[in-house]
Amino acid sequence: MAGPEPGGEPDARAEAGPAAEPEDDPAAPAPLHVPRTPTGNAEADAQLDRLADVDHLATDGHVEVYEDVHRGLRDALTALDARPGPPVPPAPYSRNNDSNSNRS
């Protein structure tokens, strides 16, 4: 029980009332609940899932997460460009491109 402290002063915590719950604090970070649709690409989906981290951060912490996600998505796209694709089929034979067609 809260009572007077040894110096005769009442306990300040008892007079302040119950501590405010985090949900009651309008300045506390609140989840944005922005839907994220899976892309089917594991790397891209992992980066998009990282966006949920901002739900637990103050606004000034969002930039770091957004930049990290942007960097990750850019790297995933760059990796797609670096992968070799299927071989290009040879051009069909054309009489106009034949070097022997210039004979007289």
Side-chain angles (χ1 to χ4, degrees):
M1 291 202 149
E5 290 185 13
E9 297 291 323
D11 188 357
R13 290 174 291 172
E15 292 180 8
E21 294 292 322
E23 296 101 29
D24 296 339
D25 184 1
L32 299 175
H33 301 295
V34 175
R36 288 176 294 279
T37 305
T39 66
N41 179 293
E43 291 178 70
D45 290 342
Q47 292 299 322
L48 293 177
D49 288 344
R50 170 114 164 75
L51 291 174
D53 291 349
V54 300
D55 287 348
H56 310 287
L57 299 173
T59 306
D60 59 352
H62 291 193
V63 173
E64 182 179 342
V65 173
Y66 293 153
E67 288 176 348
D68 184 46
V69 170
H70 180 257
R71 186 173 27 259
L73 290 172
R74 187 181 60 229
D75 291 348
L77 287 172
T78 301
L80 289 174
D81 287 341
R83 293 182 189 152
V88 177
Y93 175 76
S94 172
R95 184 135 176 104
N96 293 336
N97 292 337
D98 186 10
S99 61
N100 294 332
S101 65
N102 292 334
R103 285 194 224 168
S104 309

